[in-house]
Amino acid sequence: MKTKRLIQYSMLFLLSATIGKAQMTEAPAYPLITHDPYFSIWSMTDELNSETTKHWTGTEHSLLGYVQVDGQVYNFMGQPVPETEVILNAAPEAPYTAKYTNANPGDDWFKDGFNDSDWKEGKAPFTNRDGFGGTPWKTREIWVRRVFDLKDVSQINKLLLRVRHDDDVYVYINGTQVLGLQSANGKLEAFPMADTVARSLKKGKNLIAMHCIDTGGESFLDAGLSNILKTEGDNTILPAVQNSVEVKATQTLYTFTCGPVDLDLTFTSPLVLDDLSLMSRPVSYISCKVKSNDRKKHDVQVYLGASSDISVNQNSQLVKAEQADAGALGILKVGTVEQPVLKKRGDDLRIDWGYLYAAAPKAEGVTQTITGADAAFTPFNIKPGSKSEGRSLMLNTVYDLGKVGRKNKEALLLLGYDDIYSIQYFGQNLKPWWNKDGNSSITKELAAAYTDYESVIEKCEDVNKTIYKDALKAGGKEYAELCVLAYRQAIAAHKLVESPDGEILFLSKENNSNGSINTVDVTYPSAPLFLAYNPDLLKGMLNGIFYYSASGKWTKPFAAHDLGTYPLANGQTYGGDMPVEESGNMVILAAAISFMEGNTDYADQNWDLLTLWTQYLVKEGFDPANQLCTDDFAGHFARNANLSVKAIVGIACYGMMADMRGEEEVAREYTELARKMARDWMEMADDGDHYALTFSNSNSWSQKYNLVWDKIMGMDIFPQEVYTKEVAYYLDMQNAFGLPLDNRRTYTKSDWIMWTATLADSDADFEALVSPIHKFARKTQDRVPLSDWHDTVSGRKTGFKARSVVGGYFMKVLAEKMD
């Protein structure tokens, strides 16, 4: 007994020692400010001061940090964005018309002397999309000519061509081709032009000509020109030396050497899953702690800046800023002049309503100003006064810390965002959760965040330890590091609101895919994180789908795919259905909630729908027809063995819930049916030493990740030999960066690998399947928030980034909690 206790104490000591060490120190991108799909700022490089910080979409959302030590300035965060001026407006900036044709105009159409008198004239943009107020373009190709006047070309410094195109585009300026791309983008993108192009512009009339080809789907064409203004910068600014970076569940921590002082920089987004008031509060902390490293005292000032671009969809939008006091805090506030609340929907979009707030303690030595972007080039020589309107303004806060010795002095900035209304839910605009009753305000939230600073940091540090400890115990160090990296990304791809009926709604955005809101087959892979730490949030991911059917707005006998396109949840906008996929997902997740809570209270509220969807699975699920599953990028295919597993497990889940409800006969009927289907499945999918991709395709294979629920909930529908056979086969199919999704391609989904790995009986097999994902996260060349869809040979992103589905990494943690 004494020996056993010694072993237990030793294990606890080793676990505590491991938790105390650095967590994730390498990542494809580093989360800085993470709250929801709009308020989401990242560093896409290993060195925080080597590049401008960005929104997850890749658009610049600039945060800047400098420290001045005895007169010498060091840059520790971001890079300043040069100020630009529009010299030729694109459509979002001001309406314009241009000549166009949809018929091939022949040679020389892009030259000045070409006769375009028989061309039509239309208002930009040219698109087949509604809501842009432009000219309909529904043919394959379009040619556009736009003549424009310039009064002065002598002040052009660096010319930028800004184009939004869908798809292929070719652009000419004054008869010379300056751009040719075979691709599409979702916003006005700036392309630097050679000096020869700038010199070709002349006083008076000029011509920009464009040819765009729609290769399928949406079409779009719009363009303008900008000039990067000359800046009187401080050429003596030195880069701070970054010594370390560490990602924890709720924090990202950097350390720097800035000459004779050391600087610790910490970003904290308090995403505490069991405290919804705190989790939903849209306020992050940026803390700079400075101390001497040479035992001498030094004069130290710290600059922290945030760009107004954080509050716009495109940096061409006009913003208005103001300065105010709020109790113990000084506040800078900025937002668009237009304020188009909930007027846009889509994927590659940023918020352009509501207001960004930068708050700092009102104290001696703290100065706040609002300036143009050029002030960031001379951060400690900002002229008094504030600029209240313009584009790409900077919210500046300077802290004079005085003499700094061996004891830390702190500069603290609170960054918040008030979106006023967050989601439109079946025609009704909903306030954010933190103000769901309309009794709060962003200034109250900022004040509370400041007052509670120390206790909030303590809570966040507890979360950091818990998340890492749970994952370390479940799956080892590399697994724990991946869970830490996934934590904030998974949560911040959602928005928390309350429905008109008082139900919690935790609505995902299908980031970097199609922008759908509350997609069921995004909820499904995301679920393990929320099941493990707060099942109420998973209920918030299911409630809207249940309401959609129960209200009669969705009338099909299977579950819907989504509720719309973010942030408008007014009904499904996805072009097709996933009948077996989504019905199985909803039944399984309702059962998982019942399992975690030990009762069917939640399922009981929606029992009629769960029954309807289970009956659909019984009828159509075992040998699925030609339809999509969650991996819809792989296309339609019939007789999908893994989708069949989902249907079987879904039927078994219904039987399990019926048993919990005391309906013994119903439970026996559906459980026995599921077991019979499982036996038939084993026979039909058998392919020797593994099970096939489809029932009709031998010499094929796929990950059977849907089996995991049968294992972790102990339903025993499939015998152990299925897991054992599949895992053994998977271990031989791996490439350098992971296990492919199936035999058809070398790409994979890392969330599904985590589920597949959880089927393994041994720690060694689990870690062997997880380790290549860890390698991908550290070594991929794609510097974006963690991608869940990558190539297992090259380690490159195939698609997708910043999605909530990495919450699925917590499947092994969930399995431990369910055990």
Side-chain angles (χ1 to χ4, degrees), residues 38 129-133 164 313 317 336-347 349-354 419-425 427-430 565-570:
Y38 288 140
R129 295 181 59 184
D130 296 329
F132 286 89
R164 179 172 177 177
N313 180 42
Q317 290 177 280
T336 59
V337 172
E338 183 185 5
Q339 288 296 304
V341 178
L342 294 169
K343 296 298 183 184
K344 298 181 179 70
R345 64 176 188 174
D347 181 31
L349 290 175
R350 289 134 304 276
I351 195 167
D352 58 0
W353 72 91
D419 56 8
I420 304 171
Y421 288 99
S422 305
I423 298 292
Q424 188 173 98
Y425 186 70
Q428 185 168 338
N429 292 350
L430 304 182
T565 303
Y566 195 92
L568 308 184
N570 294 322

Side-chain angles (χ1 to χ4, degrees), residues 157-170:
N157 177 39
K158 294 289 183 181
L159 185 68
L160 298 175
L161 169 66
R162 295 173 301 118
V163 185
R164 179 172 177 177
H165 59 97
D166 196 347
D167 295 280
D168 305 349
V169 69
Y170 304 89

Side-chain angles (χ1 to χ4, degrees), residues 156-439:
I156 295 177
N157 177 39
K158 294 289 183 181
L159 185 68
L160 298 175
L161 169 66
R162 295 173 301 118
V163 185
R164 179 172 177 177
H165 59 97
D166 196 347
D167 295 280
D168 305 349
V169 69
Y170 304 89
V171 182
Y172 304 79
I173 293 178
N174 287 339
T176 299
Q177 185 174 341
V178 297
L179 187 69
L181 295 171
Q182 293 182 325
S183 61
N185 60 12
K187 59 191 174 190
L188 280 172
E189 187 175 358
F191 299 92
M193 295 287 99
D195 290 342
T196 54
V197 178
R199 289 195 294 269
S200 75
L201 294 175
K202 54 187 183 289
K203 184 178 180 179
K205 292 191 181 299
N206 294 267
L207 173 70
I208 184 169
M210 298 175 285
H211 175 207
C212 197
I213 303 169
D214 177 20
T215 60
E218 295 177 350
S219 63
F220 205 101
L221 184 60
D222 183 26
L225 296 171
S226 290
N227 175 37
I228 298 177
L229 300 176
K230 292 180 181 179
T231 302
E232 297 282 336
D234 185 347
N235 295 324
T236 66
I237 294 177
L238 298 177
V241 177
Q242 183 175 308
N243 300 315
S244 68
V245 58
E246 182 181 7
V247 178
K248 297 186 178 183
T250 64
Q251 295 177 303
T252 301
L253 304 91
Y254 293 87
T255 64
F256 297 90
T257 297
C258 309
V261 304
D262 292 334
L263 185 147
D264 294 340
L265 178 66
T266 302
F267 296 88
T268 304
S269 293
L271 303 184
V272 180
L273 289 175
D274 62 358
D275 185 341
L276 297 188
S277 295
L278 178 58
M279 189 192 89
S280 66
R281 179 189 290 164
V283 180
S284 280
Y285 303 97
I286 304 175
S287 166
C288 294
K289 293 181 178 178
V290 186
K291 66 179 178 180
S292 171
N293 59 32
D294 65 359
R295 299 190 176 186
K296 298 178 182 178
K297 290 190 174 183
H298 301 276
D299 286 315
V300 176
Q301 296 81 38
V302 172
Y303 167 93
L304 294 173
S307 173
S308 67
D309 289 348
I310 298 168
S311 65
V312 302
N313 180 42
Q314 300 182 42
N315 62 12
S316 58
Q317 290 177 280
L318 194 65
V319 297
K320 186 174 183 179
E322 62 183 75
Q323 189 168 355
D325 289 334
L329 295 172
I331 289 177
L332 303 176
K333 168 187 175 182
V334 68
T336 59
V337 172
E338 183 185 5
Q339 288 296 304
V341 178
L342 294 169
K343 296 298 183 184
K344 298 181 179 70
R345 64 176 188 174
D347 181 31
D348 191 2
L349 290 175
R350 289 134 304 276
I351 195 167
D352 58 0
W353 72 91
Y355 297 91
L356 172 70
Y357 289 78
K362 284 194 298 187
E364 186 177 352
V366 179
T367 306
Q368 292 189 292
T369 56
I370 303 164
T371 64
D374 58 332
F377 290 89
T378 56
F380 297 102
N381 292 295
I382 297 173
K383 296 176 182 179
S386 288
K387 184 175 182 178
S388 63
E389 196 167 303
R391 295 180 176 88
S392 297
L393 303 182
M394 285 300 297
L395 309 185
N396 313 294
T397 305
V398 176
Y399 308 76
D400 188 346
L401 301 182
K403 292 288 185 181
V404 174
R406 297 176 63 185
K407 186 178 180 181
N408 271 320
K409 288 192 176 183
E410 184 178 27
L412 178 65
L413 184 73
L414 284 67
L415 208 63
Y417 205 98
D418 181 8
D419 56 8
I420 304 171
Y421 288 99
S422 305
I423 298 292
Q424 188 173 98
Y425 186 70
F426 296 101
Q428 185 168 338
N429 292 350
L430 304 182
K431 294 179 182 292
W433 180 271
W434 59 266
N435 194 28
K436 56 189 173 70
D437 298 322
N439 296 324

Side-chain angles (χ1 to χ4, degrees), residues 386-697:
S386 288
K387 184 175 182 178
S388 63
E389 196 167 303
R391 295 180 176 88
S392 297
L393 303 182
M394 285 300 297
L395 309 185
N396 313 294
T397 305
V398 176
Y399 308 76
D400 188 346
L401 301 182
K403 292 288 185 181
V404 174
R406 297 176 63 185
K407 186 178 180 181
N408 271 320
K409 288 192 176 183
E410 184 178 27
L412 178 65
L413 184 73
L414 284 67
L415 208 63
Y417 205 98
D418 181 8
D419 56 8
I420 304 171
Y421 288 99
S422 305
I423 298 292
Q424 188 173 98
Y425 186 70
F426 296 101
Q428 185 168 338
N429 292 350
L430 304 182
K431 294 179 182 292
W433 180 271
W434 59 266
N435 194 28
K436 56 189 173 70
D437 298 322
N439 296 324
S440 190
S441 68
I442 190 64
T443 52
K444 289 181 181 178
E445 296 298 312
L446 287 164
Y450 180 56
T451 300
D452 300 342
Y453 175 50
E454 291 185 2
S455 63
V456 169
I457 295 300
E458 187 176 336
K459 279 187 178 182
C460 288
E461 289 173 346
D462 287 343
V463 170
N464 296 344
K465 291 174 185 176
T466 297
I467 296 300
Y468 189 74
K469 179 187 71 174
D470 288 354
L472 183 67
K473 180 184 175 185
K477 184 176 184 295
E478 291 186 336
Y479 174 68
E481 290 178 350
L482 286 167
C483 287
V484 164
L485 185 59
Y487 182 84
R488 267 178 285 167
Q489 176 173 316
I491 300 169
H494 296 81
K495 189 68 182 184
L496 185 64
V497 294
E498 185 179 72
S499 79
D501 295 329
E503 289 188 321
I504 182 174
L505 295 174
F506 192 48
L507 304 176
S508 65
K509 178 176 181 179
E510 196 169 339
N511 288 345
N512 200 223
S513 179
N514 62 358
S516 289
I517 187 169
N518 204 197
T519 303
V520 178
D521 58 287
V522 167
T523 293
Y524 180 66
S526 306
L529 169 61
F530 306 104
L531 268 171
Y533 293 103
N534 188 349
D536 282 347
L537 286 170
L538 180 56
K539 295 174 188 176
M541 299 156 77
L542 304 182
N543 284 337
I545 298 295
F546 280 127
Y547 168 78
Y548 193 19
S549 284
S551 66
K553 301 176 191 298
W554 176 262
T555 58
K556 297 179 182 180
F558 47 81
H561 172 271
D562 61 78
L563 291 184
T565 303
Y566 195 92
L568 308 184
N570 294 322
Q572 180 170 310
T573 52
Y574 185 71
D577 294 323
M578 298 184 186
V580 173
E581 173 71 39
E582 310 302 22
S583 298
N585 293 342
M586 292 295 291
V587 176
I588 290 169
L589 293 179
I593 292 171
S594 298
F595 189 98
M596 289 297 288
E597 295 188 334
N599 60 66
T600 60
D601 290 353
Y602 181 70
D604 292 347
Q605 300 170 28
N606 303 287
W607 192 248
D608 288 347
L609 285 173
L610 292 170
T611 301
L612 176 68
W613 295 337
T614 302
Q615 289 170 347
Y616 185 87
L617 295 177
V618 171
K619 181 180 179 182
E620 304 289 347
F622 175 70
D623 193 356
N626 188 38
Q627 61 182 266
L628 291 171
C629 70
T630 182
D631 306 312
D632 54 354
F633 48 80
H636 290 74
F637 63 103
R639 317 201 73 190
N640 181 339
N642 186 46
L643 187 58
S644 175
V645 169
K646 178 169 288 183
I648 295 168
V649 172
I651 293 165
C653 282
Y654 184 81
M656 182 191 78
M657 289 187 288
D659 184 57
M660 295 176 72
R661 283 164 54 91
E663 299 178 5
E664 295 181 6
E665 186 175 335
V666 174
R668 186 165 46 252
E669 175 188 351
Y670 282 90
T671 302
E672 289 176 358
L673 175 60
R675 288 205 171 101
K676 179 184 182 304
M677 286 181 167
R679 292 192 295 271
D680 293 343
W681 182 94
M682 291 172 64
E683 181 179 337
M684 293 173 63
D686 185 61
D687 202 7
D689 59 354
H690 66 283
Y691 296 95
L693 169 68
T694 68
F695 293 141
S696 56
N697 186 5

Side-chain angles (χ1 to χ4, degrees), residues 478 482 701 703 727 729-743 745-754 756-757 765-780 787-796 798 809:
E478 291 186 336
L482 286 167
W701 66 273
Q703 292 187 46
V727 170
Y729 189 81
Y730 298 149
L731 290 170
D732 290 335
M733 293 295 106
Q734 291 205 101
N735 293 320
F737 293 97
L739 176 68
L741 188 63
D742 56 49
N743 62 278
R745 300 283 191 276
T746 57
Y747 60 55
T748 194
K749 291 283 274 82
S750 56
D751 47 341
W752 297 146
I753 291 179
M754 291 295 195
T756 296
D765 287 349
F766 175 83
E767 290 170 8
L769 289 164
V770 168
S771 186
I773 308 174
H774 188 267
K775 179 180 178 182
F776 164 74
R778 291 184 298 112
K779 300 300 182 184
T780 182
S787 172
D788 56 284
W789 182 21
H790 72 267
D791 186 82
T792 60
V793 174
S794 68
R796 298 302 302 269
T798 303
Y809 286 14

